[in-house]
Amino acid sequence: MKIVVCGDNHGLISPLEEILNKHPDADAYIHCGDSELPPEYLERFHAVTGNNDYFYKYPEYLIVDVKGIKIYVTHGHQYYGDRVDGLSSTAVNHHCDIACYGHTHVFDERYAKGVLCLNPGSLRYNRDGTNPSYAVIEKVGDRFEITRFELD
């Protein structure tokens, strides 16, 4: 099982094309919001709306099932304080194994309440000074392996 997770491209199309070309074997593509693009650019992605998606509306959150793995997807701007704590609680309430979010423009991967919480960073710019990034989740046995990719 291979899931590509990205977000926060803020109008850039080429990073999405790069992801699709680099990972044609993915079982799912997830976009965590702030695409600022019309739906035709995200046809292959499970996409949610972000706080900068003014002109095109996507769902506030999605529950995506990929080969029996349930994933809670949101942009994350709705969560204040300890964002990961709130996300993991919501994911648990929806019986999800993974919570994917964006908004912070900083890659983050950690477990909370038994849920893998993953922020792939931003496809446009990361606020921690690292290169634009996205993530790939692969299921290996009974665990998840996360790989952070930087854009070319």
Side-chain angles (χ1 to χ4, degrees), residues 2 15 22 57-59 65 85 93 104 109 111 114 121 128 130 132 147:
K2 180 178 180 180
K22 200 174 217 177
K57 284 296 179 192
Y58 298 91
D65 189 308
D85 183 62
N93 289 341
T104 66
E109 161 199 351
Y111 280 85
D128 63 358
T130 61
T147 305

Side-chain angles (χ1 to χ4, degrees), residues 56-69:
Y56 309 101
K57 284 296 179 192
Y58 298 91
E60 285 291 321
Y61 74 91
L62 289 171
I63 306 297
V64 179
D65 189 308
V66 182
K67 297 187 174 186
I69 303 298

Side-chain angles (χ1 to χ4, degrees), residues 1-4 18-29 44 66-67 134 136-138 149:
M1 181 205 66
K2 180 178 180 180
I3 303 165
V4 178
E18 182 178 331
I19 286 170
L20 293 171
N21 289 332
K22 200 174 217 177
H23 304 281
D25 59 336
D27 295 299
Y29 302 93
R44 295 183 58 194
V66 182
K67 297 187 174 186
Y134 64 95
V136 171
I137 304 170
E138 293 182 277
F149 285 88

